Amino acid sequence: QVQLVESGGGLVQAGGSLRLSCAASGSIFSINRMGWYRQAPGKQRELVASITSSGSTNYAGSVKGRFTISRDNAKNMVHLQMNSLKSEDTAVYYCNILTTLPKVQEFWGQGTQVTVSS
């Protein structure tokens, strides 16, 4: 079993910053990709940012230049630094990991609420 525990969500004013963290634990042999998704009310879940085991990153166009994803491979953690937050960033943010050993599997966190007030 694999568990993902997210932290760092909350309420912030527009222009402010938040840092999300996600810790993976359990039967983890190899994490390929780690990432963050978000889902706003009435909208589809969307990719915010992802990072591979080699450090390659991918960002949604709407967050480029404002958000930074990083990972600590030794601790199986992934972080999302969110700066210059906008009201449209309000959503539930989900941690996501893709493992490749012993087989390809995808795991999700329970989600953490981020609310940006204008």
Side-chain angles (χ1 to χ4, degrees), residues 4-75:
L4 302 181
V5 178
E6 298 134 334
S7 60
L11 174 64
V12 65
Q13 287 190 331
S17 298
L18 281 175
R19 179 177 168 88
L20 304 183
S21 295
C22 173
S25 62
S27 302
I28 300 172
F29 298 96
S30 175
I31 300 178
N32 185 348
R33 188 187 69 227
M34 305 183 84
W36 292 93
Y37 288 70
R38 67 186 181 188
Q39 187 167 19
K43 293 190 176 181
Q44 298 248 7
R45 189 174 297 190
E46 62 175 358
L47 174 69
V48 176
S50 65
I51 183 167
T52 67
S53 55
S54 61
S56 295
T57 58
N58 182 39
Y59 293 94
S62 59
V63 307
K64 269 183 185 176
R66 300 188 298 123
F67 291 10
T68 302
I69 190 169
S70 61
R71 65 188 280 175
D72 184 334
N73 291 327
K75 296 181 180 179

Side-chain angles (χ1 to χ4, degrees), residues 67-102:
F67 291 10
T68 302
I69 190 169
S70 61
R71 65 188 280 175
D72 184 334
N73 291 327
K75 296 181 180 179
N76 287 335
M77 292 189 72
V78 62
H79 309 281
L80 186 67
Q81 178 66 43
M82 305 185 294
N83 299 328
S84 302
L85 283 161
K86 306 175 181 180
S87 57
E88 51 262 44
D89 294 318
T90 295
V92 178
Y93 284 69
Y94 296 90
C95 177
N96 171 273
I97 67 168
L98 180 70
T99 64
T100 53
L101 292 173

